[in-house]
Amino acid sequence: MEDGKVANAIELVTDQMIKNKMEISTLLTVHEISADLRKEFEQILFRTCLDYLKQQNSSTSIALEYLAELYAANSMTSIQWVLKNGKDTNIILLLDKMQEYIFNQLKSDLYTS
């Protein structure tokens, strides 16, 4: 998540997903109690993001859990879009900007309770 590196990372992940899109798409449709890849992906994204946000020692008035859920949902929507529609540079750039906005909330005091 270093400056300017998120879009590159998203593009690399996108390229890898496209190589295995049939398998990943199929696995994401399985919704069993003991096997739900979509739910598992979302939880991993949420926990990883929340851990990152907590390490930033921010004083934002927005709940870190909310920002982490927003990040995870946004990421999953992007994954599903890519698997269904293919790679789109504009989508990658938008995702990068949206994630940048989420992480910038840690530095911003725009929202006060």
Side-chain angles (χ1 to χ4, degrees):
M1 292 190 230
E2 296 173 18
D3 294 335
K5 304 269 195 271
V6 175
N8 294 342
I10 294 168
E11 189 163 10
L12 290 172
V13 169
T14 299
D15 290 340
Q16 291 302 312
M17 281 190 312
I18 289 172
K19 288 180 186 177
N20 301 298
K21 85 177 193 179
M22 290 302 293
E23 294 86 351
I24 295 171
S25 294
T26 300
L27 290 170
L28 287 174
T29 63
V30 175
H31 302 293
E32 296 294 324
I33 293 173
S34 62
D36 191 328
L37 184 61
R38 186 187 195 298
K39 189 175 181 180
E40 233 4 82
F41 264 2
E42 217 163 356
Q43 282 300 310
I44 290 168
L45 289 165
F46 172 80
R47 285 191 307 266
T48 302
C49 182
L50 185 59
D51 289 345
Y52 172 80
L53 295 174
K54 286 180 177 179
Q55 291 173 4
Q56 301 309 302
N57 296 321
S58 169
S59 61
T60 182
S61 58
I62 298 176
L64 297 182
E65 290 79 6
Y66 175 78
L67 292 174
E69 281 189 39
L70 187 59
Y71 172 85
N74 190 32
S75 297
M76 284 307 302
T77 299
S78 298
I79 288 169
Q80 290 182 303
W81 174 268
V82 166
L83 293 172
K84 182 178 179 184
N85 302 293
K87 183 176 173 179
D88 182 332
T89 304
N90 290 322
I91 298 291
I92 291 170
L93 293 174
L94 177 62
L95 180 59
D96 180 49
K97 291 294 180 195
M98 292 170 77
Q99 290 176 340
E100 181 182 328
Y101 178 81
I102 290 169
F103 295 127
N104 279 341
Q105 295 314 299
L106 301 176
K107 302 172 193 165
S108 172
D109 198 16
L110 293 175
Y111 307 99
T112 55
S113 309

